Amino acid sequence: PVPDACCRYREYSERLTMNLDDVNKPVAQSARDGDDDEIDLAELFGQLNANRKKILAIAAAVFFIAAIYAYTATPIYTANALLQVEQQKKGLAGMEGIAGLLGESTSSLAEIEIIRSRSILGPVVQGLNLHLLIEPNYFPIFGKAIARRHGEEALAEPLLGMSSFAWGGEQLDIGRFEFTGELAGTPSKWFLIATENNGFQLFDQDDEVVLTGKAGELARGEYEGSAIALFISRFIANPGAEFEIVYLPMIEATNKLNKELSVDEQGKDTNIIAISIQGPDKGEIKEIIDAIANQYVRSNVEQKSKEAGTLLEFISQQLPEMKEDLDTAEAALEEYKKTAGTIDLSFEAQNTLRELSDIDRQISELELKRLELSQKFTDIHPALSVVKEQMEELRKQKEAIEQEFK
C-alpha cells in the first residue's frame, strides 16, 4: 500500500506542475510579442543592405520598361470646333401654342443628329478618302517611334538595309481606289510595295499581284470578276517599302467616323454645339473637323437658299393673280359707285370688312407656311395637318361672315 500511494502522489505532482506551466505560457508569449512590436532599425537596414542587388535590379527593370513605353507609345491628339445654332424667329402671330410642332425654333438635339447624319459625314468621308485606312509596315516595337521622330522633311534611309520597313518620311496619297461588283460593298485588305521610279505593285492577301503601276498614272485591272482602278497622286518611299491598305465601303466608313466623333451641346440651352475627334495624326483630325464644320454650314446655307427660292417662286406666281383680283375688285367698286352713288358704310360694316381683311391676311400667311413645310415634310406630317386645319377654320369663318354680311 505505501509504494502505491507514493506513485499516485508523484503522478499528481507532475500533473500540477504541467498545469502551472500552461498558465505561465501566455504571459511569457505576451511579453515576447510586445518585444516583437518594436522596429529594429539596425536589423531593417541590415536586411536592405543584404538584398540591395535584388532591389536595384527590380528598380532598374521598372525604369527600363517605363522608358520603353514612353518612347514607343503613340501620342493621341484632339481636334475640336464650336458651332452656333441660330434660333429661327416665329413667322405667324397667334400660333405660339403650336410653335414646337411647326418647327419654329431650332433644337440643338436635332442639329446634333443632323451633324451625325450621312448627308454631312458622307461627303467628308468621300472628300478625305476616309474609307481607305493606310498604314506603313513598321519595324516591330520600335519602328513606329523611330519613324515618328524622324518627321517628314526627308525620306529616311533603311536601317541595316531593311528596306521593307518604313523608317520615316514616307508618304502615300491615294486619289482614287475604286471597285465594281461585289468588291465595292465588301471590306478588303491589300498590300502595296514600292518599286523603282515611283512605281508600285498591289498584292492581295494571298501575295498575288493584282495591279502594277506608277504614281501619277491611273492603273486599272480585274480581280475575281471585279474591275479595280487605283490612282496614286503622291508616293514617296524607298523601293521595297510595304504599305497596308484597308478598303471600307462608304456606309461602314461613315459609321466608323460617326462612332469616333463626339458631338455635344455646350451647357444647357446654349445653342452651342461642340464637335471633337481624337487620333494619332493631328493633321488628319484637324482636316476632318474642318470638313465637318464646313459641310454643316454649307448644308444649312443651301437649305435656307432653297426654301427662300421656293417662297419667292410661290410669291411670284401669286402676285399676278392677286393683282388681277385687286383690279377686278377695284373695277367692280367703281362701277357700283357710279350706279349706286356714294357709299356710307356703318360702323358695324367697317368692322366686318376689317375682320375679312385680317382673315385673308392670315390665310395668305398660312399658305406660305404650308408651302415652306411641304419642302421639309410629307402631307401626312402633323405640322402640315395643323396648318391645313387652321386654313380650313379661317375659310369657314370667312364664309360665315360673308353670309351674315349679305
Side-chain angles (χ1 to χ4, degrees):
V2 175
D4 293 337
C6 292
C7 290
R8 285 195 298 268
Y9 175 76
R10 189 180 299 109
E11 181 179 357
Y12 176 77
S13 300
E14 291 177 355
R15 290 179 180 178
L16 181 61
T17 303
M18 292 175 61
N19 291 335
L20 290 176
D21 291 340
D22 293 338
V23 173
N24 293 331
K25 276 183 180 179
V27 178
Q29 182 68 32
S30 176
R32 286 194 296 270
D33 291 343
D35 294 339
D36 292 341
D37 289 340
E38 296 181 1
I39 299 176
D40 190 345
L41 294 179
E43 183 180 357
L44 178 61
F45 281 113
Q47 292 290 337
L48 293 176
N49 185 47
N51 297 279
R52 62 182 182 278
K53 292 183 179 180
K54 293 182 180 180
I55 296 174
L56 291 176
I58 294 173
V62 171
F63 177 80
F64 181 71
I65 294 173
I68 291 177
Y69 176 79
Y71 182 80
T72 59
T74 301
I76 301 299
Y77 303 94
T78 301
N80 52 56
L82 295 178
L83 298 173
Q84 182 178 7
V85 179
E86 294 183 357
Q87 199 80 4
Q88 296 182 1
K89 297 181 180 180
K90 295 180 174 61
L92 297 178
M95 301 186 68
E96 292 81 358
I98 58 172
L101 182 60
L102 292 177
E104 293 289 352
S105 60
T106 303
S107 170
S108 295
L109 294 178
E111 295 302 311
I112 288 175
E113 294 304 317
I114 291 175
I115 293 174
R116 289 187 174 277
S117 66
R118 286 198 293 267
S119 62
I120 300 297
L121 300 184
V124 174
V125 172
Q126 185 71 34
L128 298 179
N129 285 332
L130 299 181
H131 62 294
L132 300 177
L133 309 179
I134 304 173
E135 180 74 12
N137 180 30
Y138 295 109
F139 187 81
I141 302 177
F142 299 100
K144 184 178 291 188
I146 294 174
R148 184 172 59 249
R149 283 164 173 77
H150 175 77
E152 299 181 356
E153 297 180 357
L155 186 62
E157 292 293 331
L159 296 181
L160 303 176
M162 294 182 288
S163 59
S164 62
F165 298 107
W167 299 102
E170 292 81 8
Q171 295 185 27
L172 175 58
D173 297 334
I174 298 179
R176 180 181 174 187
F177 195 21
E178 298 177 351
F179 304 91
T180 60
E182 296 182 357
L183 286 178
T186 305
S188 55
K189 183 184 293 186
W190 309 86
F191 300 95
L192 187 141
I193 297 180
T195 58
E196 298 289 344
N197 300 321
N198 285 337
F200 64 86
Q201 285 184 320
L202 184 68
F203 294 81
D204 63 4
Q205 298 188 57
D206 296 328
D207 292 334
E208 295 183 3
V209 179
V210 178
L211 279 179
T212 299
K214 188 176 182 180
E217 299 177 358
L218 180 63
R220 294 181 180 272
E222 290 190 3
Y223 180 77
E224 296 184 354
S226 298
I228 302 178
L230 175 59
F231 177 77
I232 297 179
S233 56
R234 188 178 185 184
F235 192 23
I236 300 176
N238 293 307
E242 299 179 4
F243 295 82
E244 179 183 285
I245 303 174
V246 176
Y247 167 82
L248 297 176
M250 290 301 300
I251 294 180
E252 294 190 16
T254 304
N255 293 337
K256 178 177 179 296
L257 176 59
N258 192 5
K259 292 179 181 179
E260 296 173 351
L261 188 66
S262 174
V263 186
D264 299 294
E265 184 178 9
Q266 291 285 93
K268 184 178 180 181
D269 299 331
T270 59
N271 291 330
I272 302 295
I273 297 177
I275 58 176
S276 63
I277 191 171
Q278 293 183 337
D281 190 339
K282 56 184 178 183
E284 181 184 51
I285 61 176
K286 179 180 180 299
E287 289 182 352
I288 293 174
I289 289 296
D290 290 342
I292 292 174
N294 292 334
Q295 181 64 26
Y296 171 74
V297 174
R298 187 183 304 111
S299 177
N300 271 350
V301 172
E302 291 176 354
Q303 180 66 23
K304 291 180 180 179
S305 299
K306 182 179 179 181
E307 293 176 0
T310 304
L311 290 176
L312 287 175
E313 182 180 356
F314 173 77
I315 294 173
S316 299
Q317 293 175 354
Q318 295 296 317
L319 280 178
E321 298 179 5
M322 296 176 66
K323 187 177 185 302
E324 184 179 353
D325 294 341
L326 179 61
D327 293 340
T328 302
E330 289 179 348
L333 180 60
E334 291 295 329
E335 184 66 23
Y336 183 80
K337 285 181 179 181
K338 292 178 182 179
T339 57
T342 306
I343 300 176
D344 186 13
L345 296 176
S346 64
F347 178 75
E348 182 180 356
Q350 292 178 6
N351 286 338
T352 302
L353 289 176
R354 280 195 294 268
E355 187 175 355
L356 288 173
S357 177
D358 185 62
I359 291 176
D360 287 335
R361 178 184 60 80
Q362 293 184 42
I363 292 176
S364 299
E365 290 179 349
L366 285 171
E367 180 63 24
L368 292 175
K369 173 56 67 176
R370 184 194 67 79
L371 182 64
E372 179 183 352
L373 293 176
S374 65
Q375 303 298 320
K376 301 179 180 178
F377 311 112
T378 60
D379 292 337
I380 62 175
H381 193 275
L384 278 169
S385 300
V386 170
V387 172
K388 291 177 181 179
E389 291 175 1
Q390 291 279 335
M391 293 176 65
E392 185 64 25
E393 182 67 25
L394 290 173
R395 289 193 181 100
K396 290 180 180 179
Q397 293 180 14
K398 181 180 178 181
E399 291 178 1
I401 294 173
E402 288 177 345
Q403 291 294 333
E404 183 179 354
F405 186 71
K406 292 180 179 179

